[in-house]
């Protein structure tokens, strides 16, 4: 994951505004799906060429008022993107950021459109895979760009289709909010999964710490760093949409953005809480290892300390001196055994006193 | 507790303003208790339907001026809440937050009402259980929503009943302050309990550190993190009630809010102090383990180091060589014993010098 | 100390403005001492009832202009305090804070008076005992409330008596400054004592670290946390007295408050420096323990590693096989001894090479 | 590297504005390369004397409008620099900063020119070598000063030559942006290399930690500190170029600077992420060592604890007492062996139970 | 050093503005050296009484315009200082700060003069000795107070004498800048020395860590804390001289102060970098100790684990049972040796596999 976040950068010195397809091609073909809706209803269809898009837009502009949402999946065909840029008069720098996947989430206001980048995540096997989502807000129009098909926007589309809630009655800025909100809400299931992993680790830490536990703690810290790197600027994105005076976002939608902002803050707070817990776990792990070492050492010390003197006594009476009177006593052997037993008992008592048993 | 804080989130992409009952149902039935008071006295009664509420409000509006406080316990019946929302014209987003228990504490100002969420805690066995309290302030009206019956608001109700202090003479904004203040004051007994746990741990750390101590330290750190996550935004809540220009809160009440703000800051400062102490305790625990290991090692080293050479000497005279003149000396055995004693004494002196006894 | 800082809180839900005497009663009777001074001289006397205070004030108001300083020692008699509150028209919330010892230092501006709380410390045996000092500034009047007699204000009183410096020529706001300044200057001797304790600990750490050292480091960190909890808001107190536009403090006095602010900042900086040193000391302690363990292990390893092989050789020639030709060689015994010596020497050289001696 | 960052400072008390050549001379001769371009095309040539520069500038001023970029390589010839300073009326303090390599990146606005210092890095063997780049922006003119020839500006020059993108159509402020941008983009390959080193270290940590790993972690932390020390002020540089009202930078160029600012922020965020990872790695390393020690200790403990009692039993029957009945039993020897085997098995089972195998 | 920074404080409650000589007297007599210069040249002389100073000032006021710099060395004669205070109308609080050595660096603006305190350091044997320098800026006049003769201002005096650079052409505010700049530049040689000590420590850490290394790391951290405590407020001093609107400092001089500010920031950044390095070094030291312990343990474990079983075998055949058939085999002895060799080889192979050699 580390590499995937960095490897995308253009060579230093490349001219700004140059469109270069992402290294990895994640879908076969660019797919464009149009969703038009308004008080009058809702219409959905797949478009295949930029010419069709242009045509659809012209029709829409002449028809009843409503929202025109074009969702583009696949960023590898630079010509298509450049053509769309011309159709909707998108700024070259913004368009460059669309294809430079791995951008920092941000809002940029251009004269006639608002450009928003957010980053979502989806689990790809064990790894969290980041995904860049680029959104343009023009009057009555929202353009969304994804690298590959994902279901992050599907619930919003579904709400529009069913005409539930405010979905159809409000403008394009509300759609922008709904898309950003969907991305931020997408953090919660991930956080839940993290919460469970942390709780499992906590049990493991107490019951059976192993180097694998350590690796898992390190892994969690690392992933939390990545989530945080996405979540911080995302909070700023929502905040600036909500606070700044911009003609693109209506006052009515801002109430919803305030709510969305609360969620973003909450994501960050949970992340920070997890980070602190993960930090504590490392300390606990180390303490736990130290404690185990103590236990091992105690066993060694008790056994060695008891038997070493005993063996020494046995050694003495194993010596071959001609003159060793004890050896010839009738009770010499039992006396020696008794001596050993006495030494052993004294040592055991000594250790008991120290609380080592 | 970790899970309970996160598991409540709506599925990503749910339409904003959708009312969904909390997962856990904590009371059997929604209970609504009305308390009306003013300079003229105080009246209290249980209401069972929203129609009754509507009726009561109409009566109140026509009667003498005073404060209308409706306390709703139980959030699982979405229809009742939606009906209340219509009666009092509450904003859909605010109402959604009422049922989404686990919200971040916050103040939100709508055109005609103020919405406040605070989080209290009550001890449930060994665990701290968070509880969300939602408050609406309308002109002359306060609505409070709790998930289950609790005694956090009881002292305020009691003060109103007895007509003590300013309770009855001031407006609905003062009631709002009193409720928020009760929640924040509720932190102090918890902090006291923490203080005692920390002091017990400090003694345990010095006298008899064990892995259970470690677990307890970790547990405390974790709970402090949760308390802090509630206390920080609560401080902001009180601060914004106190600082911001809002028509809902009178200047007179703001003096009290300033006092309440001081309490919130104090809660945070105590929490931070505890956190630092808990952090230090982990270090002390680790040092303490290291010290114990040193003690164990010293015993082993002293015993082993003294007896190993002695055993070696015994081993030499246990060899069976034909020609070993010492074995045939008359004083060979006592001489060997003396040699061993000498070696032992030298080593004991050596260790004394090193300060190992 | 931990407990004494928290245990004072009113029960959650108590009405604001309720006067409740502190749990601990530190003096037998409330003592009130009046000091009046001005360009015309200085007059000092003990008052016993609030009526006398009222009378004295009336006289003062009619007499020559000057400063009226009433110093009240003992907070357990709530009736006296309430009566004083009425005489000087003090705000109920401020008065409540006077008796709730353990308040956070703060400045509060009311319409006709300024209310300041600061926290001093005095050493009570080994423990630092916090002490709350409450000050009211009214036009021409300063009221000071202490829990028990202390000498913190004595030097100021002395200066007034002797008429040294600016003491008598300036107004009540200057007296307020002088009292706050005395409290802040009171930190320096404590810091000096800490400095000495830290230097002693540093020596102890290097020369003879023991668990008692650890306990002392922990103790210092804990006390520094408490001092810091008092010093931070005290800095804010002085800062807001100095910066804010308030009619209660004259421009001339603000120059002195700026000086006082510098002292408060210095206190904090020294506290932070000490905290960092105390933090480093824990690390040094742990490293020091590890080093000691290494030394112990080395001794064990050297002795054991040298003698274990030697004992093995002796063991071989202690075996009772019928056919062991070496046993019958004339030089067998000296040869065995020589072998052992050789092994011993090789091992000693090996350890020397490793730098273990 | 540590030294190279500090050793360049003038002796304390040197008069400001004094030009002193850097200690190390990195090129043989000062080289000046002129690149003039505009809508009309592009012209490039090497100049050898300041007189030629002056002449070229006069010609340029009289010719078609365009950008005049003079790139100076080599800072050891103070006379040349002083002469250039006179030709372009550069401020003495700015000129001093040009030769004082190792300056903190900064922007300084003088009345008639803007002065920018940025710091790039190039890998010199294993070490990161910092390189100071000084830029002056005058109307229509950009002066760049490097200590030695490097390729950091080459891609920009190439873009101008080929006339690609906006390169030729925009003013001198755009060139300034392009040069700064090239430096900041130059961080990304370094960060990539760091990312790879960190990933290699992570594997090494888990599989085979050694003191060399520790040294590498320390080395990475140290280099990250140096990069961060350059990147923080560089972010500020771009930020102040982008935010501040300055007549030197056009509104059009500021859009590009905003983009450049995003990159600078990203560099910093990646650096912080790496720092946290490197910090965690140290903890993991220490835990890993502790775990290894545990493993070593376990082996020792198991072997020693099993054989010490067995050897003791053998020692007993090696004693030479006259009366030891067991020695004369027919089954004495097998019984002793059986006893030993039994002891051994009991201990093995004991250790299995403890989970030590 | 810890003590020297704190022990200077006046007794709590001392009247502000009281002049008390520093505890330590560092020169025999107060020396006053006058340097007058202007476009017309430069004149230098020693003055011995305040009357002479007054006279010189009167002469200067009547003569050609220029700068009047009086450098006072020695602070123990309070009468001289008080007299100077009267001659130049210095504020009592400022004068008090002059003698209270160990003040926090600060700028204070009084109606008719600017008062600056900075702190320099000079190495006194192994210790860094702080030195307080107080500066007053009046129209055309600079007063500087030092506790003892030092060479920190000498380079500035030299520049004035030689008339190099801007030295003589600019006003008293430029002289103030030059003096402050000299103090800040004085940090760089100290930092260089620190850099070298850190690099030496880094080598020592890797090659031969010992408790002395630990002590040195701790020592460096401690000294860095002290330097930082001086450098932070010094940065603020320069910043406020540079930013704030004050009639005492001309716009021309502010350009130089901006440069000086950059240096102060750089000092702080280097200090922070060093602190982080010193922090890392402690971790590396601890890891390094752990690694060494592992090495020691491995040697012990290998030797003990190999020989303990061998000795046990020897012990078996040293037993004296009547019936031990092996003892009577012809190949018994070689077989036993072979068995031992086999055991030894198996264990060696086992350890090799574990990578312990």
């Amino acid at each position: 994951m580390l590499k995937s976040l960095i490897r995308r950068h253009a060579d230093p010195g490349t001219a700004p505004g140059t469109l270069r397809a992402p290294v990895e091609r994640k879908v076969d073909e660019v797919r464009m799906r149009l969703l038009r809706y308004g008080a009058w209803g809702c219409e959905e269809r797949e478009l295949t060429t930029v010419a069709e898009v242009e045509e659809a837009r012209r029709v829409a502009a002449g028809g009843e008022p409503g929202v025109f949402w074009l969702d583009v999946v696949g960023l590898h065909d630079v010509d298509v993107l450049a053509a769309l840029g011309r159709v909707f008069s998108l700024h070259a720098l913004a368009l460059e950021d669309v294809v430079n996947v791995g951008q920092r989430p941000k809002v940029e206001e251009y004269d006639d459109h608002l450009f928003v980048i957010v980053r979502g995540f989806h689990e790809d096997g064990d790894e969290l895979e980041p995904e860049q989502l680029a959104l343009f807000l023009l009057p009555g129009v929202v353009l969304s760009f994804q690298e590959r098909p994902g279901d992050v926007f599907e619930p919003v589309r579904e709400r529009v289709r069913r005409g539930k809630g405010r979905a159809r009655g409000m403008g394009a800025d509300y759609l922008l909010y709904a898309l950003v909100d969907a991305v931020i809400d997408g953090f919660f299931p991930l956080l839940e999964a993290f919460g469970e992993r942390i709780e499992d680790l906590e049990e493991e830490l107490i019951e059976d710490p192993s180097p694998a536990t350590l690796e898992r703690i390190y892994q969690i810290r690392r992933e939390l760093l990545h989530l945080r790197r996405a979540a911080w600027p995302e909070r700023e994105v929502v905040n600036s949409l909500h606070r700044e005076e911009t003609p693109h976002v209506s006052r009515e939608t801002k109430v919803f953005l305030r709510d969305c902002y609360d969620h973003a803050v909450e994501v960050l707070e949970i992340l920070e809480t997890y980070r602190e817990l993960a930090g504590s776990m490392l300390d606990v792990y180390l303490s736990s290892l130290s404690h185990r070492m103590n236990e091992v050492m105690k066993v060694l010390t008790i056994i060695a300390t008891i038997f070493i003197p005993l063996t020494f006594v046995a050694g003495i009476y194993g010596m071959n001196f001609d003159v060793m009177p004890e050896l010839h006593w009738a009770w010499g052997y039992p006396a020696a055994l008794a001596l050993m037993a006495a030494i052993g008992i004294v040592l055991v008592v000594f250790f008991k006193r120290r609380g080592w048993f």
Side-chain angles (χ1 to χ4, degrees), chain A:
Chain A
M1 191 159 120
L2 222 47
K3 284 174 194 167
S4 70
L5 277 174
I6 302 184
R7 287 264 163 87
R8 67 186 170 68
H9 283 279
D11 299 329
T14 305
T18 309
L19 288 190
R20 290 173 25 136
V23 177
E24 224 180 317
R25 176 175 180 153
K26 296 201 172 156
V27 287
D28 287 338
E29 234 165 301
V30 176
R31 285 178 45 209
M32 292 179 288
R33 179 192 278 175
L34 172 66
L35 184 63
R36 270 202 349 108
Y37 63 88
W40 46 267
C42 149
E43 174 200 35
E44 194 171 0
R45 92 181 129 108
E46 293 276 335
L47 303 177
T48 46
T49 65
V50 177
E52 282 181 321
V53 173
E54 210 167 355
E55 172 64 24
R57 203 194 170 188
R58 199 171 321 116
V59 171
E64 281 176 286
V67 176
F68 181 102
W69 172 19
L70 186 73
D71 183 34
V72 181
V73 174
L75 308 174
H76 57 275
D77 192 340
V78 170
D79 297 333
V80 169
L81 296 177
L84 282 172
R86 276 187 303 272
V87 170
F88 293 95
S89 323
L90 307 177
H91 196 282
L93 276 179
L95 216 51
E96 187 193 0
D97 287 344
V98 168
V99 292
N100 274 353
V101 294
Q103 288 289 321
R104 198 170 175 263
K106 61 180 172 183
V107 186
E108 283 183 351
E109 197 173 345
Y110 291 95
D111 287 341
D112 50 358
H113 56 274
L114 203 66
F115 175 53
V116 176
I117 283 189
V118 285
R119 189 187 295 165
F121 287 89
H122 51 99
E123 276 173 290
D124 185 13
D126 268 7
E127 293 273 304
L128 279 180
E129 198 63 41
E131 181 182 23
Q132 171 171 313
L133 304 159
L135 305 167
F136 285 92
L137 173 65
L138 292 80
V141 175
V142 168
L143 304 178
S144 61
F145 292 86
Q146 297 174 260
E147 210 176 345
R148 63 168 158 195
D151 46 7
V152 63
F153 292 157
E154 193 52 34
V156 178
R157 193 172 285 122
E158 196 56 39
R159 263 148 58 198
V160 171
R161 276 189 206 119
R162 300 203 187 147
K164 287 206 312 188
R166 276 161 198 75
R168 284 200 203 156
M170 295 183 73
D173 56 339
Y174 183 84
L175 177 60
L176 181 82
Y177 145 74
L179 297 177
V180 170
D181 194 48
V183 170
I184 284 172
D185 276 4
F187 274 90
F188 286 107
L190 293 178
L191 290 177
E192 249 179 66
F194 266 101
E196 274 172 41
R197 279 166 71 187
I198 286 175
E199 293 199 329
D200 289 354
L201 267 174
E202 283 173 351
E203 263 178 48
E204 200 178 314
L205 256 186
I206 302 294
E207 279 162 27
D208 183 27
S210 74
T213 318
L214 181 62
E215 228 175 302
R216 271 194 279 273
I217 297 173
Y218 180 78
Q219 187 60 27
I220 281 190
R221 287 183 95 175
R222 201 176 140 174
E223 291 179 17
L224 288 173
L225 281 175
H226 287 302
L227 282 181
R228 196 172 56 134
R229 240 184 83 200
W232 265 109
E234 234 137 66
R235 194 193 68 122
E236 287 169 41
V237 162
V238 183
N239 193 30
S240 67
L241 285 175
H242 157 223
R243 299 241 169 209
E244 269 168 45
E245 263 332 303
T246 163
H248 300 291
V249 181
S250 68
R251 205 175 151 275
E252 203 174 359
T253 298
K254 280 190 178 169
V255 174
F256 291 92
L257 282 164
R258 185 171 66 179
D259 195 63
C260 180
Y261 177 69
D262 284 340
H263 293 175
V265 169
E266 207 174 336
V267 165
L268 275 172
E269 283 185 349
I270 295 173
L271 281 173
E272 289 304 320
T273 303
Y274 284 178
R275 271 186 72 218
E276 293 221 22
L277 285 177
S280 295
M281 282 196 292
L282 251 180
D283 294 342
V284 171
Y285 178 75
L286 198 51
S287 298
S288 187
L289 280 187
S290 278
H291 181 75
R292 292 211 149 196
M293 175 106 70
N294 267 4
E295 291 306 299
V296 171
M297 291 306 303
K298 266 192 211 162
V299 169
L300 176 58
T301 304
I302 289 168
I303 299 282
T305 307
I306 288 174
F307 284 99
I308 284 174
L310 301 188
T311 303
F312 167 62
V313 171
I316 284 181
Y317 295 109
M319 293 194 297
N320 297 321
F321 284 100
D322 288 355
V323 187
M324 290 181 70
E326 299 96 316
L327 294 180
H328 310 299
W329 295 349
W331 296 100
Y333 179 49
L337 290 183
L339 174 64
M340 292 171 185
I343 292 175
I345 288 167
V346 164
L347 286 167
V348 166
V349 168
F350 171 77
F351 289 132
K352 275 244 150 112
R353 287 257 170 94
R354 294 217 151 198
W356 287 11
F357 280 100

